[in-house]
Amino acid sequence: MSQTERSAALITLRNIVKQYHLGKTIVPALQGVDLQVARGEFTVVMGPSGSGKSTLLNIIGCLDSPTSGTYHFDGQEVSNRDFDKLAELRNRKIGIIFQSFNLIPVLNVIENVEFPCLMRKDPEPLGSLRERVVKLCEDVGLGPYLKHRPDELSGGQRQRVAIARALITHPELVLADEPTANLDSKTSEQIIALMQRLNEQMGVTFIFSTHDPRVMQHAKRVVHIADGKIVERNPLVAA
Amino acid sequence: MLPPLFRIAFRNVLRNRRRSLITFSAVFLALGIMVSIRGFLNGLQATIRESVVLGQTGALQVHRKGFLKSVNASLDQVIPSDEAFLRKITAVSGVKAATARIMFGGMANANDTSAAAMFTAIDPVQELIVCPRRNEMIYRGKNLKESSPIAAILSPELASSLGIKLGQRATILTSDRDGVMNALDFDFTGQYGQPGLPLPDKKLGFVPLAFAQQLLRMEGKATEIAIALHRFEDAERIKPILQEALGPEYEVATWHDVAAYIDDAIATQNFILNLIAGVFLFVALLGIANTMLMSVLERTREIGTMMSVGVRRRQILTLFLLEASLLGLAGGILGALVGGSFVLYYGHSGMLLPIPEMPVPLHIFPTISASYILFILSLAAGGAALAALWPSIRASRMRPVEALSSV
């Protein structure tokens, strides 16, 4: 792979297969997925429940490893890395946003957002980190809630905390697994708009999974998945 | 500001307050009891030690070589009891005083009744300097210092077998070093009982040294010199110095050597304490292991979240071990405080411990050392971490995707 290709494609999946063993039964979750995602893309992975969206995102997010196939992130093969190296990759280059927010309940907004940076072997000085965290929180509309714990926030506010936590490490990729599934339609619109704005302003690559057709209208690219296979790539859907 | 893992651990301990409180209480109780019992035993053992050293053996003893190993301490194995010999002993640095004794067996006779008994002849004045606790052991009547030169103090068993009461006269019959029988009358002036310790031989009597020397025709001689040191803990250090000063025909023994049964008794007490303490601690640590296992099961998704933002396995392990250690340490600190307060209070006021069949109750002053408190706190924190090791390893070994899909 040339330097030009490497810089253009942040993610390259080749013939990714993922099988789960349920007792003696083998359940195929992904059946030979090939996918490239370029830097700065705002991609939506669409498909019905059980189609393999979450499995695909888990593999892209290095939370799970494929049964076979290769996965290159930023030009580097990552599917055979050990736990700590993958943890390092997730910490520095990948931000993940979950459907159910997944905040740490004993930490307040600021502490939740700064948490990934503090878990590094070489954490940045707390003073400058705090400054960045506060600025980012204000940027995503959490200014008045900095000292609130997750159980004192609404669903939309919690998802904003999750977005800020995903972005604080200056990741190259942000994955969002059905980020609006637990939100009302108005809040969903706001969250999608926020992510779109951050994608445009910061140039961060976003990959969503959703089965909500309303989200599609914001995507620059839509990947349809069904039965563990990519059935349609549409890079031309206008935002 | 606290490091982030420590902050999370601290807040997690407070998160499920009821469960933490139960675990905390178990550790608190275990350590409170351990510190209290240790303090009580320290006091008891110090009292027993002092009772032996200051009331019976002295810190060091001098005998003719071979005396201690001989089956029947013979009157042939005598040593001088004159001033010059005693001065040679007291000239050694650290020695406070020395006193001569004779141990001998004989028949006591009164009211047409005889009883075999062991007698110890003591210098009525010097003995109270070397073994001041002797005085406390007279629980009825007078000591030899305040009595006539032919007075005797008898154990309750000897007095009752002779059927005599205080103030009555009796006779000692014994043979001297040459095997010639001799007898002398004595006045029963005091009754003897040893607090806290069973008497090695229940039929015992004490007579003045001069009285025994006349009875046994051993003027200027004794079988034993008991020695008081300024600090009885120096016995082992001073023993070889004194041995050097006296020469090879004598043997110097510490109180450990002559009353080895005390060390055995203390070792047995310590073993039993450690066993009880171990059981208490084990139960408390089981509680911690259970708490941590529940915590890991409840927080599986949270563990997945941490992994998703790049927390490494070792950090997850550290977090759960920290939580367990905090629980152990917090319970331990309070337990040590309460147990320590008990020890301090009774260490100041003392506690009287009646012992069955002992005429004088033991007066115990519990003590506890800072090093024991530190040891027990590290044991609580370290033990808690150890108890939580398996749940913590389990947490750190989870696969992120499985942890995240937990409900």
Side-chain angles (χ1 to χ4, degrees), chain A residues 109-143:
Chain A
V109 168
I110 288 185
E111 290 165 341
N112 258 294
V113 174
E114 72 191 6
F115 182 68
C117 298
L118 294 176
M119 289 296 100
R120 288 180 175 175
K121 284 180 185 166
D122 51 345
E124 71 179 275
L126 195 63
S128 63
L129 175 63
R130 269 288 157 93
E131 245 173 63
R132 286 202 304 118
V133 168
V134 171
K135 189 169 177 302
L136 182 59
C137 286
E138 283 167 352
D139 203 24
V140 298
L142 288 169

Side-chain angles (χ1 to χ4, degrees), chain A residues 18 58 63-64 83-84 87 90-91 96 98 100 102 104-107 111 114-116 118-121 126 130 149 165, chain B residues 1 4-5 7-8 11-12 15 301-302 304-315 396 398-402 404:
Chain A
K18 180 68 188 177
N58 284 337
L63 295 170
D64 203 357
F83 184 94
D84 278 357
R90 286 193 296 271
N91 183 273
I96 303 175
F98 297 94
S100 48
N102 288 23
I104 297 172
V106 293
L107 300 181
E111 290 165 341
E114 72 191 6
F115 182 68
L118 294 176
M119 289 296 100
R120 288 180 175 175
K121 284 180 185 166
L126 195 63
R130 269 288 157 93
R149 292 244 179 126
R165 181 179 66 187
Chain B
M1 179 176 270
L5 282 181
R7 192 190 322 153
I8 296 175
R11 290 182 191 171
N12 276 329
R15 187 167 165 187
R301 195 184 182 86
E302 197 177 308
T305 302
M306 288 188 180
M307 288 174 167
S308 77
V309 299
V311 175
R312 280 162 280 138
R313 289 202 193 283
R314 190 181 298 176
Q315 289 171 313
S396 70
M398 284 179 187
R399 292 179 59 224
V401 70
E402 283 168 4
L404 282 165

Side-chain angles (χ1 to χ4, degrees), chain B residues 377-395:
Chain B
L377 285 180
S378 346
L379 199 67
L386 199 66
L389 195 58
W390 180 69
S392 307
I393 288 175
R394 189 183 153 130

Side-chain angles (χ1 to χ4, degrees), chain A residues 11 13 30 32-38 41-48 51-54 56-57 60 206-212 215-237:
Chain A
I11 286 166
L13 301 175
L30 295 177
V33 169
D34 291 304
L35 180 68
Q36 275 203 335
V37 178
E41 275 192 12
F42 196 80
T43 303
V44 169
V45 178
M46 286 210 66
S51 58
K53 300 187 300 293
S54 293
L56 181 61
L57 258 66
I60 294 173
F206 272 78
I207 302 178
F208 276 71
S209 77
T210 184
H211 53 240
D212 180 356
V215 179
M216 261 176 54
Q217 60 188 302
H218 296 276
K220 291 176 186 164
R221 178 187 180 193
V222 179
V223 174
H224 290 272
I225 186 166
D227 299 327
K229 292 176 186 164
I230 291 177
V231 292
E232 185 188 349
R233 295 176 180 82
N234 179 7
L236 302 173
V237 174

Side-chain angles (χ1 to χ4, degrees), chain B residues 320-380:
Chain B
F320 281 92
L321 292 182
L322 260 178
E323 287 180 22
S325 302
L326 275 175
L327 260 178
L329 198 61
I333 287 173
L334 196 68
L337 272 177
V338 172
S341 305
F342 164 84
V343 171
L344 273 183
Y345 176 77
Y346 283 106
H348 183 68
S349 66
M351 56 199 298
L352 286 174
L353 185 72
I355 307 272
E357 295 183 26
M358 293 294 150
V360 185
L362 273 185
H363 203 186
I364 295 171
F365 293 88
T367 58
I368 198 84
S369 64
S371 60
Y372 183 77
I373 299 273
L374 278 180
F375 163 72
I376 211 156
L377 285 180
S378 346
L379 199 67

Side-chain angles (χ1 to χ4, degrees), chain B residues 282-326:
Chain B
F282 182 71
V283 172
L285 295 184
L286 272 187
I288 288 190
N290 183 55
T291 298
M292 295 315 296
L293 189 58
M294 299 268 284
S295 188
V296 167
L297 292 176
E298 282 175 6
R299 287 159 55 199
T300 302
R301 195 184 182 86
E302 197 177 308
I303 294 165
T305 302
M306 288 188 180
M307 288 174 167
S308 77
V309 299
V311 175
R312 280 162 280 138
R313 289 202 193 283
R314 190 181 298 176
Q315 289 171 313
I316 301 276
L317 182 75
T318 306
L319 174 67
F320 281 92
L321 292 182
L322 260 178
E323 287 180 22
S325 302
L326 275 175

